[in-house]
Amino acid sequence: MNWITKTFCVSLATFLAPAVLAETFVFTAIPDQDERQLTERFGKIADYLEQQLEIEVQYIPVKSYSAAVSAFRSDQVQMAWFGGLTGVQARQLVPGSQAIAQGEEDTAFKSYFIAHESAGLAPADTLTDALRGKSFTFGSKGSTSGRLMPEFYLREQFDEAPETLFSRVGFSGDHSRTIALVESGAYDVGAVNYAVWDAAVEAGELDTTVVQIIWETPAYPDYQWTIRGDADARFGDGFTQRVQQALLDMTDPDLLAAFPRSGFIPATNADYAPIEATAISIGIMDAQ
């Protein structure tokens, strides 16, 4: 290589280096709580991942569960903290994508049915006919814990759609909003993520003399981190494994409390086959 060619190659590499170094790993999360809480908690996760991966990492918020799936599909984000249903939907749309980590609690997640005291509903071990004619709110239409599994168990128990069982059916958009709507009396009953409810109770953010748990679902798999199948091609061989390891190594109580989870464990796509089957069974997804 003569000096002219060598100088050109060095100059070209110098010119291209900033673009390579500026490559940013972007992630999002389903908006299961209000945006302020999400931005605060996932901003900390972005800082942690940036330190572990030694590349720029950015969290971007989205307005809805479907927007999180769309951002993943269009490569606006390369990873997302999905619920069980949105994760299945996203991986179906982006072949090769992988569920890589889940909270220790996510192997046996559950939903609470909560009711306003004026509804006159007592806690029970089963769903009863006392629910008939009440007003009911789910969370987001794409929520596993706020819609998919609660609807599945309602249909299983009553053999009818929620729209015929209840006097009025709504979709609050997120778990915090579901709690607020039931606590205010705007709806008699609602379905909510148990972790969001428990955290709100612990923080003293709701009046449990006005709103209470009346039933809880059996356990099911839920939240997980899912990464695009082309992440290694974009960020380097072994990148997916490095991201997974960084998540599994997250032990800072402050970071874990933001989810809240006690820690993260490996996850695979196969772990969420029951969620896909449930979604197909009640007509939310089509069989592939």
Side-chain angles (χ1 to χ4, degrees):
M1 179 185 295
N2 62 42
W3 71 270
I4 295 177
T5 303
K6 184 176 181 180
T7 300
F8 173 77
C9 290
V10 170
S11 298
L12 180 61
T14 302
F15 173 76
L16 291 177
V20 173
L21 293 175
E23 183 76 8
T24 301
F25 181 57
V26 186
F27 74 94
T28 193
I30 54 170
D32 57 358
Q33 292 179 273
D34 69 69
E35 189 171 316
R36 179 190 59 79
Q37 290 175 302
L38 292 173
T39 298
E40 179 180 351
R41 92 193 212 199
F42 285 109
K44 295 177 182 179
I45 303 305
D47 291 342
Y48 167 79
L49 289 175
E50 193 165 279
Q51 293 172 358
Q52 297 297 307
L53 301 174
E54 298 182 331
I55 63 169
E56 185 174 345
V57 178
Q58 180 184 4
Y59 162 72
I60 60 170
V62 291
K63 294 295 185 182
S64 67
Y65 282 52
S66 60
V69 174
S70 295
F72 188 84
R73 181 183 191 181
S74 64
D75 199 22
Q76 291 176 282
V77 302
Q78 291 78 57
M79 185 173 73
W81 175 241
F82 283 128
L85 177 59
T86 45
V88 168
Q89 292 170 328
R91 291 189 296 274
Q92 186 181 91
L93 292 169
V94 186
S97 298
Q98 302 176 53
I100 57 173
Q102 61 185 327
E104 292 183 10
E105 295 79 1
D106 291 305
T107 59
F109 215 74
K110 57 188 176 183
S111 302
Y112 290 152
F113 279 31
I114 58 173
H116 191 269
E117 55 89 20
S118 65
L121 297 170
D125 294 332
T126 60
L127 295 171
T128 71
D129 278 347
L131 285 169
R132 289 187 179 278
K134 305 297 184 184
S135 57
F136 188 98
T137 183
F138 293 106
S140 167
K141 291 182 178 180
S143 173
T144 307
S145 55
R147 191 274 177 92
L148 175 67
M149 299 312 296
E151 180 169 342
F152 170 77
Y153 287 113
L154 285 167
R155 287 176 179 270
E156 182 180 60
Q157 176 67 27
F158 298 104
D159 196 26
E160 57 186 293
E163 290 75 16
T164 61
L165 177 64
F166 299 112
S167 62
R168 178 167 54 99
V169 174
F171 292 91
S172 70
D174 66 63
H175 300 293
S176 298
R177 182 66 176 157
T178 295
I179 294 171
L181 287 170
V182 177
E183 185 177 18
S184 72
Y187 283 89
D188 296 320
V189 187
V192 66
N193 169 327
Y194 88 97
V196 174
W197 170 274
D198 288 352
V201 170
E202 185 176 349
E205 295 173 349
L206 56 88
D207 185 351
T208 53
T209 66
V210 172
V211 58
Q212 67 172 336
I213 301 165
I214 59 168
W215 185 70
E216 65 179 56
T217 66
Y220 54 84
D222 201 352
Y223 289 74
Q224 89 292 155
W225 289 101
T226 287
I227 192 168
R228 285 178 58 93
D230 55 7
D232 282 15
R234 182 167 181 174
F235 297 98
D237 290 344
F239 182 77
T240 295
Q241 185 175 358
R242 289 176 57 212
V243 174
Q244 181 185 47
Q245 194 60 53
L247 295 170
L248 300 182
D249 290 343
M250 191 186 301
T251 58
D252 184 334
D254 185 47
L255 294 178
L256 293 173
F259 285 89
R261 298 293 187 276
S262 56
F264 288 99
I265 59 176
T268 68
N269 294 359
D271 294 332
Y272 295 88
I275 296 297
E276 182 175 6
T278 300
I280 292 170
S281 73
I282 66 173
I284 292 177
M285 287 181 63
D286 294 327
Q288 293 297 297

